[in-house]
Amino acid sequence: MKTILKFAIVSASFVSNISMATPFGFAADVNSNSPFITQGYQGFNYGGKSGAASWVNEIGNEISSEYSVGPTTLGAAWSNGGELLSLTSATAGQTFGINSVSLNTGDTVSVTIDGLLMGNLMHSWTGDIVNQTDYTNVMLNWNNIDTLNFSDGVLTPFFVTNIDVQSSNVPEPGSLALLGLGFAGLAAVRRRKQS
C-alpha cells in the first residue's frame, strides 16, 4: 500500500507540474524589423482587433510619450487601434493563471479584462484606468484560463505591462499512457497478492 501511495504522489507531481513565472513586460522583445510583439514571446500568442498587429511594443516606437504615459522598465505593449487585445497560450491546450497585470491609458477609460476557457467566460474585471505617470496594478488571481482579453469598447489606446502569470504544463499523451500502464500494473500485482 505504501508503494502505491508513493507512486501516486510522484506521478501526480510529474503530471500536474505548474511553473511559476516572474512578471514580464516587453522590453526584451524589441525587434528592429517589426514594431509588433513576437508571437510565442514568453510562451504566449498575441492577437486582438488588428490580429497579430494588435500588440505594439512601445519601446523603440515612443508611443507612451505621445499619450503622456510614463515609461516602465519592463516595457509595455500598446493596443494598436484600441478596443481589444487578446493573450493566449502558444501551446495548444495549455491553460494558465494570471495573478496581476499593470495598465495605463492615454485618457480615463473603463477597461474590461476577461478570462476565458474554451470560449466560456470564467472571470471578468472592469475598472476605470486613469492616465498617470505610474501604471495601475490590477490584482486578478485567476486560474485555469486559456485566453485573456483586454477591451475598452472605444478607440482609446491603452498600455499593458507587468503581466504576472503562472502556466500549467499539460501532460503529453505518452506521459498519461505511461501513468495509466503503471496503475494497471499495480492493480495486477495487488490482485495477484490477494489470490
Side-chain angles (χ1 to χ4, degrees), residues 46 85 114 116 156 191:
Y46 303 88
L85 292 180
D114 291 331
L116 293 91
T156 302
R191 279 194 198 123

Side-chain angles (χ1 to χ4, degrees), residues 12-142:
S13 67
F14 173 72
V15 171
S16 63
N17 180 25
I18 295 182
S19 61
M20 301 298 286
T22 57
F24 70 90
F26 302 95
D29 190 48
V30 174
N31 182 347
S32 60
N33 297 327
S34 173
F36 308 114
I37 303 302
T38 305
Q39 297 300 313
Y41 174 71
Q42 295 289 338
F44 292 97
N45 288 329
Y46 303 88
K49 186 172 185 199
S50 301
S54 297
W55 294 70
V56 177
N57 198 330
E58 70 89 26
I59 292 186
N61 297 298
E62 300 177 9
I63 301 164
S64 58
S65 61
E66 292 178 34
Y67 294 98
S68 302
V69 171
T72 171
T73 55
L74 287 176
W78 171 67
S79 62
N80 185 23
E83 290 193 49
L84 175 69
L85 292 180
S86 180
L87 179 80
T88 58
S89 174
T91 304
Q94 185 178 39
T95 61
F96 60 93
I98 180 154
N99 300 319
S100 62
V101 63
S102 296
L103 303 172
N104 209 336
T105 181
D107 199 354
T108 299
V109 66
S110 180
V111 174
T112 298
I113 306 172
D114 291 331
L116 293 91
L117 178 63
M118 296 187 298
N120 297 311
L121 181 65
M122 305 302 289
H123 308 280
S124 188
W125 176 92
T126 300
D128 288 338
I129 304 299
V130 179
N131 175 271
Q132 56 190 1
T133 303
D134 292 330
Y135 280 67
T136 300
N137 192 42
V138 179
M139 297 300 296
L140 299 170
N141 295 316
W142 298 344

Side-chain angles (χ1 to χ4, degrees), residues 184-195:
L186 287 171
V189 168
R190 187 169 185 201
R191 279 194 198 123
R192 192 176 298 170
K193 281 184 177 181
Q194 287 178 349
S195 53

Side-chain angles (χ1 to χ4, degrees), residues 139-169:
M139 297 300 296
L140 299 170
N141 295 316
W142 298 344
N143 291 309
N144 200 33
I145 58 173
D146 58 16
T147 303
L148 188 66
N149 287 335
F150 301 87
S151 60
D152 66 4
V154 294
L155 292 176
T156 302
F158 53 94
F159 298 82
V160 180
T161 190
N162 198 29
I163 302 171
D164 186 6
V165 296
Q166 52 182 335
S167 60
S168 303
N169 294 330

